[in-house]
Each structure stands twice: as C-alpha cells, then as structure tokens.
Amino acid sequence: MEQFSMLIGGRSVDAISGKTFESQNPYTGENWATIPDGGPEDVDAAVAAARSAFEGEWGAMTGFARAACLRRLGDLIGQDAERLAKLEVNDSGKLYREMLGQLNGLGGWYHYFAGLADKIEGAQIPSPNPNYLVYTRREPIGVVAAITPWNSPLLLMTFKLAPLLAAGCTVVIKPSEHAPASTLGFAELIEKAGFPAGTVNVVTGLSRETGAHLAGHPGVDKVAFTGSTATGKHVGQAAMENLNPVTLELGGKSPQVVFADADLQAAANGLVAGVFAATGQTCMAGSRLIVHADVHDELVRLVAERAASIKLGNPMDAETEMGPVANQPQYEKVLGYLDKAREEGATIAYGGVAEESLGSYFVQPTVLSVKPTDTVYREEVFGPVLSAVTFTDEDEAIKLANDTPYGLAGAVWTKDIHRGHRIAGKIRAGTVWINAYRAIAPSVPFGGFKQSGLGRENGLNGIDAYLETKAVWVELTGGTRDPFTLG
Ligand code: NAD
C-alpha cells in the first residue's frame, strides 16, 4: 500500500482525526493507496493556511515572481510525468498511454498562464470630471476552493490552478474520494517549485461532507468546481450563501451531427474518439450520434466494426485501447443505462453488456440505435455508450442537437464548408468541432452553455475568473469641494 499525505500550510499532514480511507485500483480491484480522511476541521486548517499565504508571502509577490514559480512547476510536471501518470492509472483505470500524453502536455498550462501572470493590467479611465485621475487595478480575488471529479483529476484541477496562481490567489483543492491519490502526489511538486507555504493546499476526504464544507466555507472568496450537474447546483447554492462567485464545469450529452456528404471513415474515427476514448468517462463525450438517415446504416456499421476491434484490458499495456470503468458505482450506473436501453427498445449494433471475461469493471463499447425520447439518449451515461438517431434535413438536425438540457460540446461532420460553419454557429454549446473531436488547449476557452456550467476555463480570459476589478479615484486639485454633492 502506498501512503499519501495532505498538504496544508506547506506541511505534509494526516487528517486531524487520524482517520484514513483506501483507494481502489479499478483494474486489479485491489486497494492500493492509503489516503487521509480529512473532514471539516482539516478544511478549516487549510482555508486558514491559504488565507495566511494570501495575506503574507505569496500575496506580496509580483506577477513576475509568480510567473517564475509557475514556469518551474510546469517544468517539474514534465520531469515527473511518468510517476503522475501511473498514479492516475492506479486511481481511475485510465490508459497509461493517454495519461502519459496528458501529463506530458500538462506543464503547457502552467507555462501558458505564467505568460499571463506578469501582464495583468488595469486601465486609465477617462473621467467626465477633469479634477480626477481614474484608473483600475486587477487584484486577485483571494482564497479559492477548487473541487474536482475523478476523471482526469490533474487536468481538471490544472484548469483552475494555473490561472488562479497566475492571478495571485491561493487555493484549497479537494479531489474526488474516488481518485484522490494523484492530486496528493502532485502536491509534492509545489514546494519544489518555490511556492510559499499555504499557497496551495490539498484536503482529501471520503465523505462528500468534506467538499460541501469547503464549498460553503465563509473563509473562501471564490469556488471553482468540476463535477456533475446535480452536485454543481448544490455547490453553486453553497457559494451563493457567502455571495461568492462560482465557476461550474458540469455534465454533458454532446451531439455529433453527421451529414450524408461527410467522410464517414473520419466521422467513425471521431465518434470512437468522442465516446470510447477514456472509456467514455469524459464530460465532453460525444455520446449522441445524430446522423442523416441515408448514411445511418453505413456509419453505424463502421463504428460497430471499430468497437468490436477495440482492445480492452490492462490500462498499463501499450496496446490496450479501453480500460475499465473507474469505480463500482459508475460501473453499476452504466449497466443500469444499458438495461434501460433494452427495455425501451434500443437496437444494439455492438456491445450492450459487461465484459465479464476480464473481471472487475469492464463494459463493452456499445453502439445503439434509439429514439430521441430514450433515457440512454437523453441522460449522461458517462461510459462507453453511443446512441444514434436519424434526421432528414438540416433544421431537424439542429433541433435534435439542441434538444438537451446540456450544452458542453458538439461536432459537425460534413465536407460542405458553408454548412460546417453554419451548424457550428447554431449548436448551443461551449465548444464545437468541425470534422474533429476531443481537442483542447490551454489557450482555448472551455465551458458549458445551459446546464453544462457557468463561466469559462482556459484561454486569455481564463484568468478573469480569479481577478477583481478595483477603481481608484485620485483628486488632482487638492482643493475642497461641496460635501453634499456627488462626484
Ligand atoms: P460529482 O459531482 O459526484 O463529484 C465531484 C466532486 O464534488 C468530488 O470531489 C466530490 O467529492 C465533490 N462533492 C460531492 N458532493 C459535494 C457537495 N455537496 N459539495 C461540494 N463538493 C461535493 O462528480 P463525479 O462523479 O466525481 O464526476 C463526474 C461528473 O463530472 C460528470 O457529470 C461529468 O460530466 C462531470 N465533469 C465535467 C467536466 C467539465 O469540464 N464540464 C469535466 C469532467 C467531469
């Protein structure tokens, strides 16, 4: 068993209660790591440490000095990518080859936001009254609560951590109880990168109460959350109790719209990337295939053929293409959706069941043809399940694409350049790919329309979520004025 500690105030600590819990490797089914079971009292200590760093050494550092820390952290992640990728695989069953690629690229987020840390500028504002010089300052919002889910914990944490550090904030991070180890392993790099004690704190806990206590903590100034829409609503309400701003990155049920003129081989490949990569456990999973009736059979056949050849197995093996579902509750949830799909009359082109020969939590990649009213087509499965419906004209395709409470992502597949851009403009989602799927970058805004979230992460404006604007008025004449008038 590997032992992990929390990071609070620059020290590696156990939970105050001394309690621990164990993290299970979903591939082997064995518990592999001992994790501190932090509770509200640990959250209180972490928030106090973050406040003290904000009011102390970190808060006094210039953007140039913060940028240097961020650059060092980015470099350290690159050097430690293998160790961190293995932690992610052990925790969540994701493919080593995907996680290694993700970790090798992760430093890029810190380098990108390091480039912004020393460019946070206010403006000189024209005043209608010549007696005043007015300017704005962009100041860090303060102590941030960052709460993350179990799929890609380090990537989704980084969407918050890199910009908030660039802005000059401090943070308490609470990773998911289902995949806590990689964030604790990552925390070991914080001191090496030169961040003052208390700038970054990590608290883990088995109970969801730990996250709830953090989200509603009166000592934090901003809440940044990635997770399910249902939890996101609770988090938003808790933040609002303190009138704290909140960034929410939530669930999705993203459409992939395929026109009859599309390159069907490329579309099939994009569908596989969209819904079977990461065993379908991504917020941006392209889980609804909306395909022109003329090419439905051909495309479903192509995707089903590729699904049949997907190599399931040990996520550490280089040839494996799909690992297990990340944990037992999620495994049961996915199988429940497959039962429901059968009950509601879905046609199964491939899969539809657990892959019991491999033990633990394997589910076959599944390709279904369904009705737009079917549960599996409407709700977020968060597993390797593609549900196809057909359309006959462009208006119907757009209507189907937008007929969802979610709006995280989507794609359009067509060779018609006019139509590609036209449809991209009409899909109500935060990201639309044309003839592509599942590409992201630190420089590109990411986030959801509708119930997929609130606010944007990444990109030049990603840092705004962690800054307050202050207006400063300077009286220029030195004279006295009528105190009973405004301005
Ligand atoms: P979840 O909502 O169950 O948990 C997310 C985090 O919130 C965990 O750390 C959990 O401990 C914590 N939490 C639970 N209850 C809480 C509460 N009341 N207050 C504060 N924190 C609380 O989500 P999950 O199952 O870990 O992750 C899967 C979900 O995340 C999916 O819906 C997926 O679409 C979504 N997701 C979204 C994005 C995105 O960027 N939009 C990315 C990845 C995952």
Side-chain angles (χ1 to χ4, degrees):
M1 291 285 274
E2 290 190 35
Q3 312 283 329
F4 290 86
S5 302
M6 302 190 292
L7 178 68
I8 298 182
R11 294 190 312 120
S12 291
V13 295
D14 296 329
I16 292 169
S17 67
K19 285 202 246 166
T20 57
F21 67 103
E22 292 180 349
S23 180
Q24 188 194 44
N25 177 326
Y27 175 65
T28 62
E30 280 166 16
N31 291 344
W32 70 284
T34 306
I35 308 291
D37 188 6
E41 63 282 13
D42 301 279
V43 170
D44 292 347
V47 170
R51 175 65 56 196
S52 147
F54 183 68
E55 291 173 357
E57 199 181 342
W58 177 250
M61 278 166 71
T62 63
F64 294 85
R66 294 199 303 271
C69 289
L70 278 158
R71 275 192 289 272
R72 279 195 296 271
L73 180 56
D75 293 344
L76 287 168
I77 294 168
Q79 291 158 22
D80 220 6
E82 289 184 14
R83 176 182 73 98
L84 295 171
K86 280 181 194 150
L87 295 179
E88 295 272 46
V89 176
N90 286 344
D91 245 0
S92 68
K94 281 218 168 163
L95 296 191
Y96 179 66
R97 79 177 203 232
E98 171 169 14
M99 297 324 277
L100 187 60
Q102 214 179 78
L103 266 300
N104 275 326
L106 200 69
W109 261 260
Y110 295 89
H111 291 152
Y112 177 82
F113 281 102
L116 295 182
D118 54 10
K119 297 172 193 67
I120 299 168
E121 296 179 349
Q124 192 240 304
I125 311 277
S127 162
N129 181 335
N131 293 351
Y132 289 105
L133 165 70
V134 184
Y135 63 92
T136 54
R137 292 166 52 90
R138 304 280 281 144
E139 298 183 358
I141 203 163
V143 175
V144 178
I147 301 173
T148 53
W150 47 260
N151 64 310
S152 296
L154 294 183
L155 180 71
L156 300 168
M157 173 198 74
T158 292
F159 284 14
K160 300 157 186 41
L161 186 59
L164 76 84
L165 290 173
C169 295
T170 60
V171 65
V172 178
I173 303 164
K174 210 298 287 175
S176 166
E177 58 280 17
H178 293 296
S182 58
T183 307
L184 296 173
F186 174 91
E188 293 167 20
L189 303 179
I190 293 296
E191 195 191 346
K192 285 190 202 155
F195 291 94
T199 307
V200 177
N201 306 273
V202 181
V203 175
T204 46
L206 182 58
S207 163
R208 295 168 83 84
E209 188 43 44
T210 306
H213 188 69
L214 179 60
H217 204 291
V220 309
D221 303 299
K222 151 100 198 179
V223 182
F225 171 84
T226 299
S228 63
T229 296
T231 308
K233 288 181 184 177
H234 291 297
V235 168
Q237 279 159 4
M240 194 43 64
E241 278 297 307
N242 297 316
L243 290 182
N244 275 338
V246 62
T247 302
L248 300 173
E249 297 286 0
L250 308 177
K253 191 75 193 178
S254 300
Q256 293 232 44
V257 182
V258 182
F259 284 88
D261 70 340
D263 175 339
L264 293 188
Q265 289 287 354
N269 200 54
L271 286 157
V272 168
V275 77
F276 299 139
T279 317
Q281 301 168 115
T282 75
C283 52
M284 62 179 109
S287 51
R288 288 188 301 139
L289 166 58
I290 298 168
V291 54
H292 193 280
D294 288 353
V295 292
H296 167 274
D297 293 357
E298 169 71 355
L299 185 60
V300 166
R301 185 184 62 75
L302 287 172
V303 182
E305 262 174 29
R306 183 66 185 91
S309 74
I310 288 178
K311 191 169 178 325
L312 276 64
N314 185 344
M316 286 303 293
D317 288 349
E319 312 80 58
T320 301
E321 295 176 316
M322 239 180 73
V325 168
N327 53 65
Q328 190 176 1
Q330 188 58 29
Y331 173 72
E332 283 163 8
K333 185 175 151 199
V334 174
L335 293 183
Y337 274 116
L338 293 176
D339 287 343
K340 187 90 182 160
R342 269 186 290 274
E343 256 171 52
E344 292 181 351
T347 306
I348 302 174
Y350 186 75
V353 288
E355 181 55 65
E356 282 168 359
S357 65
L358 291 170
S360 71
Y361 309 136
F362 282 90
V363 177
Q364 289 184 350
T366 296
V367 184
L368 306 172
S369 290
V370 300
K371 303 180 288 304
T373 49
D374 285 1
T375 310
V376 72
Y377 175 84
R378 305 206 66 80
E379 296 185 9
E380 186 184 43
V381 175
F382 220 61
V385 182
L386 180 68
S387 302
V389 300
T390 58
F391 68 88
T392 49
D393 65 41
E394 197 172 302
D395 285 348
E396 190 187 6
I398 293 161
K399 219 168 149 196
L400 282 164
N402 290 332
D403 180 21
T404 170
Y406 294 111
L408 190 62
V412 51
W413 296 86
T414 176
K415 285 191 190 135
D416 178 341
I417 191 171
H418 310 287
R419 177 152 60 197
H421 289 285
R422 198 162 62 231
I423 302 288
K426 288 189 176 159
I427 293 179
R428 301 269 304 149
T431 297
V432 179
W433 294 280
I434 301 176
N435 296 332
Y437 210 85
R438 213 165 171 247
I440 56 163
S443 52
V444 182
F446 183 79
F449 282 29
K450 303 197 274 183
Q451 298 212 17
S452 286
L454 209 57
R456 291 291 175 275
E457 296 187 315
N458 302 334
L460 281 181
N461 297 331
I463 202 166
D464 291 345
Y466 301 101
L467 291 168
E468 291 275 26
T469 299
K470 178 183 283 176
V472 179
W473 295 68
V474 187
E475 211 283 335
L476 295 175
T477 67
T480 47
R481 52 173 277 211
D482 176 358
F484 300 104
T485 60
L486 181 70

